[in-house]
């Protein structure tokens, strides 16, 4: 047991929190931007998977991790564009559109992987590249903080930058204002000439962009290969993190961090000889608990307001 | 003359045609012998009694999960939990089939009922959360899929696993628990009758009873239902119970009808397929039969194709995605309907 | 008007995907600098025509010319770019944003990548000073009054450089004073050279402010007139094809025993505002009690308290001596309360469900409507056919989805359902809002029949004509309190009622308390 707490309070553990948080955070940001525009993109999971595979294949053929990353982004944005085309132009129900993306991704990636590598399980036969880790001068020398914050994959830092970037986009820019108004009252936005479909489409593309980064991180950072269904529900956890974070940028970041910690904790728990099958369910259990706590707290808050009023 | 009223049927047919054309296109691109591959895909499933049997066998679980999803979608609930329930009910039914000793006809009944009830109870959790606190049922149900899979796998590996078996599979199910096969030369089992029975019952429930009326009104407009005095909380929980019951029954029936050991080490995927079946069936219980058979047909076609040619079966998931996108695309071919309406309104010649 | 028109529309048609023909071969022309009214019953196609002019709907066919140039608007942006602006009947504002955010949405001034908020505030202030439309640019829209919101809407149109302003029933939500102010502003805009399209079905207003009138009926134009050359009676005849008589012969009234007794009703909302402040009244058998008031003075909370959907309401409400406050909707309905809700799309109907399904929501639970576990289909079919016949619902069959019907026919389904349950108490909230005159008359007649049968009826309406003609007695709700009670509605003039509704005049407490009939 003491061994377990040693792990929990080690800098390695804190480091791993950020490491496992990264894909969840990307997915959560993807969920946030599309939700702000009033469209629920549940295709994040599939988008990540497609991007993960694309990154691996392209980096293997070009030998460059960066070109692989670029291709992954293009693939993710393309999936989002396809989803946007169907939901906005053809009025496919957005949830069903998302299901279609996920269905396409889980089978389609295996299909393509098989065509490319002859293997249906993993991309071991492909010599794919990985994105570098960054050791930040000065920061890495600070005790405690250094080992926690320095030495992460470049995409981990990108994910943090994306939090700031998204906050700025939503709060300060014309596009952000349009996104917020389209999500809250699309008729009002349309009546002043804001092209609702276009704003929603752009939001979906950005959402796809974030998911693609998350996917690329999975296969070119977190691991160094593609395996079947490797995202393992992180897209869904991201959606849950956005909900628990009450659709605010900061809240979404904090809840992603929390889910990252839960995930890292799950790994640490294995040392207590709790079966891996059960430990693996931790992030999902935490998500459900998070959603329940949030919903119940909201109901309580309403009740408390009523009680306060009664006193007056 | 074709009327606007038939629009939906024509559209569904058009989507299926497009999906098939797309299938041929993919095959044409990647296969060395496209014509042969296409003919395998199209005709192999109906080439022999045993292959036809395969189609029907695969349609059985799709009917159960499709029906389960129809109930939920019809109530306007986006719950995709059938997947996890199907799996976990399979574990429960297997446990009873392995460890309990019961007389011949009672054994499968108890095992199936236990699986179905487990499904119902587990399904009620997202249902209650949705109904009482408006927790998003889509997210919770998907989380539950992962949780139930993890717990189920734990049971398989630690409680049911036969160390003498080659792979990760359970002890042998007792023969007394297995469902009898109906047609010689196939593995079509009693579950088919059960599935058809459920479909007819759900049809009557949905369209002919007061509870079905409450379900449909809640799904069509929850505010209207509440205004009418319908207890929609109760309706939502009931629907979740029923849908879970059906998904659970599907999982139990599948294990007892098709296997001699429990051996799913990943989610079998029938839950999400159920959503596809429900879409194809336009949320009508009776249409689930045709939708499940169609999906099973192209699946078996793809399986045969993977076995006999150079195209992997996963290709079919691309086709399925396209079907979902187009079938739920309200605007798809709408221009055509508008033109017909204009004609019927007599504005144009 | 011999000069070439500013905007000319010829032979335009619009068919919606559900098969509704909203406009059929409509012609319309607008001269520069005029205030042009478009009048017509609800559903005559006015709004659709305006939406096409403003690029919100694309015409199925037809042609539109602006300054002689052929134009085709694919989106509101195209219309805005051509100098056309629209103030919608339902405000097109984003509530959680500030006035300035709403003003600049879609045309944000920028500095670098950022929105230049200082400039935006300056622009808003300047414009509001120039057109004498005072507002606080930094206020949140959700905190503004209705009149203020409308000012924001007009400013929004002006800041976008509109020369043609379309106002869709702008006075529907305003008090008489606010209406007067609006008219002054419209005259001022006209003097500055703006052209205004004014949609209304208040003929007095149209006569007061407009130069020309286009009359629409059933998706077609019935003619264009100089306002001075037609009388109100002529306009209304063209609108509905016959004289509108809103006079009912109600016969003698003899109210019976009390049915609904509400006492000391109090409701405080989440913002700690006292929305209902100790109100009480009684409705007796065979009595129609009207509640008048400007919208938002507690009417909807009152109705919700009576129909079981306002948790937190205090006081006592009894129907036939049994308490119903705080009970479930089902319990209340089971005690003989029917309710025609103000919003039939949101609450009153399930739009994808069939007419029959929409008709039986009051009955399907009853034993007589079931045979064992199954619904009695024969009975449902016979009942539905009978109601379609009785209420003259224009439908192909009871199995048709109710969403395919026009507003008036849909409302008749709602009214049929609620009335055929033979309730002790009927609560009718805006029962004829947005329906054509024919349907309105049918509904009014039915209410009067119910009254003759001894039903107690509570009528809430924003339509003064309706509330004065149909009610026996009247209560006026202002700021959560009753401020006037008139035991005989036929003795009340629109003017007195208007004063009470605006809180200018109020009766003594004792006078109001007569409504309790103890």
């Amino acid at each position: 047991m003491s061994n377990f707490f040693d792990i929990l309070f080690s800098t390695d553990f804190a480091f791993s929190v950020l490491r496992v948080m990264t894909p969840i955070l990307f997915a959560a940001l993807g969920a946030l931007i599309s939700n702000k525009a009033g469209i629920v993109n549940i295709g994040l999971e599939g988008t990540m998977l497609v991007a993960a595979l694309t990154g691996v294949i392209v980096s293997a053929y070009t030998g460059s991790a960066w070109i692989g990353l670029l291709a992954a982004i293009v693939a993710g944005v393309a999936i989002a564009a396809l989803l946007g085309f169907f939901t906005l132009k053809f009025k496919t129900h957005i949830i069903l559109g998302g299901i279609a993306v996920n269905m396409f991704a889980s089978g389609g990636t295996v299909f393509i992987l098989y065509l490319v590598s002859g293997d249906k399980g993993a991309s071991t036969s492909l010599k794919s590249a990985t994105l570098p880790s960054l050791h930040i001068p000065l920061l890495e020398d600070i005790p405690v903080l250094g080992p926690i914050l320095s030495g992460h994959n470049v995409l981990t830092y990108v994910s943090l930058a994306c939090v700031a970037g998204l906050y700025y986009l939503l709060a300060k820019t014309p596009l952000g204002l349009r996104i917020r108004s389209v999500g809250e009252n699309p008729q009002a936005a349309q009546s002043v000439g804001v092209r609702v479909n276009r704003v929603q489409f752009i939001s979906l593309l950005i959402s796809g962009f974030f998911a693609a980064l998350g996917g690329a991180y999975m296969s070119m950072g977190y691991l160094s290969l593609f395996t079947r269904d490797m995202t393992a529900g992180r897209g869904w956890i991201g959606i849950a993190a956005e909900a628990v974070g009450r659709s605010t940028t900061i809240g979404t970041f904090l809840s992603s961090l929390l889910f990252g910690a839960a995930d890292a904790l799950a790994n640490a728990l294995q040392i207590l000889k709790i079966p891996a099958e059960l430990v693996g369910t931790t992030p999902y259990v935490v998500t459900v608990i998070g959603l329940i706590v949030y919903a119940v707290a909201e109901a309580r808050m309403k009740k408390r307001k009523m009680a306060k009023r009664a006193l007056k | 003359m074709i009327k606007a009223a038939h629009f939906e049927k024509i559209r569904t047919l058009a989507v299926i045609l497009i999906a098939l054309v797309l299938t041929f296109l993919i095959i044409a691109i990647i296969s060395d012998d496209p014509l042969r591959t296409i003919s395998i895909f199209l005709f192999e499933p109906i080439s022999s009694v045993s292959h036809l049997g395969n189609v029907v066998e695969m349609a059985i679980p799709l009917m159960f999960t499709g029906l389960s999803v129809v109930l939920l979608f019809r109530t306007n609930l986006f719950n995709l939990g059938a997947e996890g329930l199907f799996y976990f009910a399979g574990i429960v039914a297997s446990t009873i089939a392995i460890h309990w000793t019961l007389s011949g006809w009672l054994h499968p009944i108890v095992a199936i009922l236990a699986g179905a009830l487990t499904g119902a109870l587990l399904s009620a959790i997202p249902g209650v959360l949705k109904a009482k606190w408006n927790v998003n049922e889509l997210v919770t149900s998907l989380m539950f899929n992962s949780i139930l899979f993890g717990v189920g796998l734990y049971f398989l590996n630690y409680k049911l696993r036969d160390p003498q078996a080659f792979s990760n599979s359970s002890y042998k199910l007792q023969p007394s628990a297995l469902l009898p096969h109906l047609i010689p030369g196939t593995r079509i089992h009693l579950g088919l009758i059960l599935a058809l029975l459920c479909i007819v019952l759900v049809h009557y429930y949905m369209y002919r009873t007061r509870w079905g009326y409450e379900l449909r009104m809640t799904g069509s407009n929850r505010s209207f239902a509440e205004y009418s005095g319908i207890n929609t909380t109760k309706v939502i929980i009931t629907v979740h119970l029923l849908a879970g019951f059906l998904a659970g029954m599907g999982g139990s029936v599948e294990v007892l009808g098709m296997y001699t050991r429990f051996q799913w080490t990943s989610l079998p995927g029938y839950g999400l397929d159920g959503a596809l079946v429900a879409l194809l069936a336009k949320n009508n219980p009776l249409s689930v039969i045709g939708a499940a058979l169609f999906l099973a047909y192209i699946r078996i076609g793809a399986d045969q194709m993977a076995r006999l040619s150079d195209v992997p079966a996963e290709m079919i998931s691309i086709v399925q995605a396209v079907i979902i996108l187009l079938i739920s695309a309200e605007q798809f071919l709408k221009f055509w309907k508008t033109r017909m309406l204009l004609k019927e309104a007599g504005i144009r010649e | 008007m011999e000069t070439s028109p500013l905007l000319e529309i010829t032979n335009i048609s619009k068919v919606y995907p559900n098969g509704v023909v909203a406009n059929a071969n409509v012609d319309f022309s607008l001269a520069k600098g005029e205030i042009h009214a478009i009048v017509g019953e609800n559903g005559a196609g006015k709004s659709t025509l305006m939406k096409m002019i403003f690029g919100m709907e694309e015409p199925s066919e037809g042609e539109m010319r602006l300054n002689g140039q052929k134009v085709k608007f694919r989106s509101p942006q195209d219309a805005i770019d051509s100098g056309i602006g629209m103030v919608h009947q339902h405000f097109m504002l984003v509530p959680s944003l500030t006035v300035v955010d709403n003003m600049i949405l879609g045309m944000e001034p920028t500095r670098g990548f950022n929105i230049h908020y200082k400039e935006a505030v300056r622009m808003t202030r300047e414009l509001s000073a120039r057109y004498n439309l005072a507002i606080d640019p930094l206020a949140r829209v959700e905190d503004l009054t209705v009149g203020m919101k409308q000012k924001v809407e007009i400013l929004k149109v002006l800041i976008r450089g509109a020369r043609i302003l379309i106002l869709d029933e702008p006075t529907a939500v305003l008090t008489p004073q606010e209406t007067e102010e609006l008219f002054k502003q419209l005259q001022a805009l006209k003097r500055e050279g703006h052209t205004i399209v004014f949609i209304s079905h208040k003929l007095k207003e149209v006569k007061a402010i407009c130069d020309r009138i286009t009359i629409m009926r059933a998706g077609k134009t019935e003619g264009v007139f100089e306002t001075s050359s037609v009388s109100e009676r002529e306009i209304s005849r063209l609108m509905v094809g016959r004289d509108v008589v809103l006079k009912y012969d109600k016969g003698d009234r003899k109210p019976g025993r009390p049915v609904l007794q509400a006492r000391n009703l109090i409701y405080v909302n989440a913002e700690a505002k006292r929305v209902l402040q100790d109100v009480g009244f009684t409705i007796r058998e065979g009595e129609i009690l009207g509640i008048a008031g400007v919208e938002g003075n507690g009417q909807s909370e009152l109705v919700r308290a009576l129909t079981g959907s306002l948790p937190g309401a205090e006081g006592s409400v009894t129907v036939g001596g049994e308490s119903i406050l705080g009970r479930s909707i089902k319990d209340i309905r089971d005690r003989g309360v029917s309710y025609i809700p103000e919003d039939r799309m949101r609450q009153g109907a399930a739009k994808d469900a069939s007419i029959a399904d929409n008709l039986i929501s009051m009955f399907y639970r009853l034993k007589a409507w079931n045979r064992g576990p199954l619904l009695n289909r024969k009975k449902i079919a016979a009942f539905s056919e009978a109601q379609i016949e009785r209420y003259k619902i224009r439908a192909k069959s009871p199995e048709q989805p109710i969403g395919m019907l026009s507003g008036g026919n849909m409302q008749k389904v709602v009214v049929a359902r609620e009335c055929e349950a033979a309730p002790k108490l009927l609560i009718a909230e805006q029962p004829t809002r947005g329906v054509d005159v024919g349907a309105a008359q049918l509904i009014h007649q039915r209410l009067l029949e119910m009254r003759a049968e001894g039903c107690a009826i509570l009528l809430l309406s924003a339509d003064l004509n309706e509330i004065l003609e149909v009610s026996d007695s009247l209560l006026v709700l202002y700021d959560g309190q009753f401020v006037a009670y008139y035991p005989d509605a036929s003795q009340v003039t629109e003017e007195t009622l208007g004063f009470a509704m605006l809180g200018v005049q109020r009766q003594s407490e004792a006078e109001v308390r007569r409504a309790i009939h103890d």
Side-chain angles (χ1 to χ4, degrees), chain C residues 159-324:
Chain C
I159 203 174
R160 286 167 175 76
R163 304 298 295 163
I164 300 174
L165 279 77
I166 304 167
L167 288 93
D168 191 0
E169 302 200 19
T171 59
V173 289
L174 300 184
T175 64
Q177 281 76 359
E178 284 172 330
T179 303
E180 212 158 289
E181 204 187 327
L182 173 72
F183 283 1
K184 274 184 200 150
Q185 279 153 2
L186 294 184
Q187 299 283 12
L189 285 168
K190 180 184 164 184
R191 276 196 301 277
E192 292 225 6
H194 289 88
T195 308
I196 293 161
V197 182
F198 187 91
I199 302 173
S200 181
H201 41 212
K202 294 182 183 168
L203 302 186
K204 273 187 193 128
E205 293 178 356
V206 168
K207 289 285 283 180
I209 189 169
C210 299
D211 303 313
R212 288 202 302 162
I213 304 177
T214 293
I215 299 171
M216 290 191 74
R217 188 166 103 207
K220 295 184 173 146
T221 29
E222 290 291 310
V224 188
F225 304 90
E226 300 290 326
T227 311
S228 50
S229 69
V230 280
S231 70
E232 279 178 45
R233 285 178 66 85
E234 280 171 288
I235 300 171
S236 71
R237 210 171 27 242
L238 284 163
M239 271 168 67
V240 295
R242 67 198 133 112
D243 282 318
V244 185
V245 214
L246 245 189
K247 279 279 175 208
Y248 298 107
D249 184 16
K250 294 194 284 193
D252 281 344
R253 70 179 259 241
K254 291 180 223 87
R257 283 167 297 152
V259 176
L260 173 80
Q261 292 175 295
R263 301 286 181 272
N264 309 105
L265 261 183
I266 294 174
Y267 178 69
V268 187
N269 72 8
E271 283 78 44
K273 185 176 177 235
R274 294 169 65 87
V275 184
L276 289 175
Q277 312 192 36
D278 196 5
V279 299
F281 59 95
T282 296
I283 313 179
R284 295 161 294 178
E285 290 170 346
E287 177 183 32
I288 302 182
L289 174 68
I291 292 190
V294 178
E295 269 178 65
N297 276 287
Q299 293 94 325
S300 75
E301 286 80 4
L302 178 63
V303 169
R304 282 165 60 203
L306 300 180
T307 53
S309 47
L310 190 71
E314 292 160 49
S316 87
V317 180
T318 59
V319 169
E322 280 184 285
S323 168
I324 60 163

Side-chain angles (χ1 to χ4, degrees), chain B residues 275-291:
Chain B
L276 181 52
V277 170
L279 268 180
L280 278 169
K282 295 271 161 202
N283 293 340
N284 276 318
L286 291 183
S287 312
V288 162
I289 302 172

Side-chain angles (χ1 to χ4, degrees), chain C residues 114-165:
Chain C
N114 292 2
I115 296 174
H116 194 346
Y117 271 108
K118 255 192 200 148
E119 171 66 9
V121 170
R122 193 195 59 74
M123 281 159 61
T124 307
R125 288 230 163 90
E126 185 191 287
L127 206 64
S128 86
R130 185 162 125 215
Y131 289 99
N132 202 14
L133 294 155
I135 40 162
D136 171 10
L138 296 177
R140 256 178 218 287
V141 165
E142 58 199 349
D143 302 329
L144 299 181
T145 63
V146 174
M148 297 282 270
K149 283 183 187 157
Q150 189 161 64
K151 283 183 191 166
V152 179
E153 287 283 26
I154 294 175
L155 281 171
K156 262 173 62 184
V157 169
L158 293 172
I159 203 174
R160 286 167 175 76
R163 304 298 295 163
I164 300 174
L165 279 77

Side-chain angles (χ1 to χ4, degrees), chain A residues 168 171-175 177-178 180-182 184-185 187-195 305-306 309-310 312, chain C residues 54 56 75-77 80 88 92-97 105-106 108 110 113-115 156 160 268-270 272 311:
Chain A
Y168 169 80
K172 303 284 182 196
T173 67
L175 180 62
L177 178 64
R178 289 175 193 196
R180 284 183 289 143
S181 54
V182 161
E184 184 173 337
N185 188 349
Q187 282 91 10
Q190 193 210 15
S191 75
V192 291
V194 171
R195 302 214 166 127
K305 249 189 192 167
M306 301 279 267
R309 239 181 34 207
K312 283 179 193 168
Chain C
F54 191 57
M56 293 176 84
S75 72
Q77 188 62 55
I80 292 167
H88 299 266
M92 294 291 186
L93 298 168
V94 187
S96 77
L97 302 182
L105 180 59
E108 304 84 358
T110 52
F113 291 116
N114 292 2
I115 296 174
K156 262 173 62 184
R160 286 167 175 76
V268 187
N269 72 8

Side-chain angles (χ1 to χ4, degrees), chain C residues 59-76:
Chain C
S60 306
E61 52 189 56
E63 175 176 294
M64 185 151 59
R65 285 172 183 279
L66 187 66
N67 289 319
Q69 298 279 318
K70 202 172 160 185
V71 286
K72 201 166 190 182
F73 298 148
R74 297 197 172 275
S75 72

